[in-house]
Amino acid sequence: MGTDEPVVVVAHWQTTAASLDTVLAHVAALAPQSLGEPGCLGYEAFQRTDDPTALLLIEHYRDSAALQAHLSSSHYQELVGRRIRPLLTDRRVEFLRPREAQT
């Protein structure tokens, strides 16, 4: 698997009702900063309809280097590392490679 291939990150976050507004505010601040990175091709956040404290983030990066640049960025370290993660009760992250459908 080459590192020049696109990377999709799917992050499943669970928080509490008491922390939800704070987490959503941090995500709202994080999204435009992430999209401003040259290698970030997409950044979307979703809430489950049956459990608003369950969030799903889908992020698209040009390649592994762009993902590493994102993870090392000051806005990621501050917002996710210092502010969001302490408010999560569960966190699962998947790293995926897009593939064409086989017919």
Side-chain angles (χ1 to χ4, degrees):
M1 190 177 330
T3 58
D4 59 342
E5 294 180 286
V7 179
V8 176
V9 178
V10 179
H12 302 265
W13 290 354
Q14 184 71 48
T15 190
T16 64
S19 297
L20 180 60
D21 287 344
T22 302
V23 170
L24 290 175
H26 292 323
V27 170
L30 180 64
Q33 292 182 67
S34 298
L35 286 166
E37 299 168 12
C40 181
L41 307 177
Y43 195 101
E44 297 178 281
F46 300 91
Q47 271 180 292
R48 278 184 37 186
T49 57
D50 62 339
D51 179 4
T53 62
L55 305 175
L56 176 75
L57 282 78
I58 301 175
E59 308 165 36
H60 296 259
Y61 295 93
R62 180 186 59 235
D63 52 27
S64 294
L67 173 58
Q68 287 308 311
H70 170 70
L71 296 175
S72 299
S73 70
S74 59
H75 54 267
Y76 178 88
Q77 293 296 318
E78 177 62 28
L79 291 169
V80 177
R82 292 184 190 93
R83 297 185 186 188
I84 294 173
R85 280 189 194 161
L87 300 176
L88 300 181
T89 58
D90 189 44
R91 178 177 170 266
R92 189 176 82 246
V93 180
E94 302 171 87
F95 300 94
L96 309 169
R97 299 277 185 209
R99 292 290 174 237
E100 296 292 324
Q102 300 293 318
T103 58

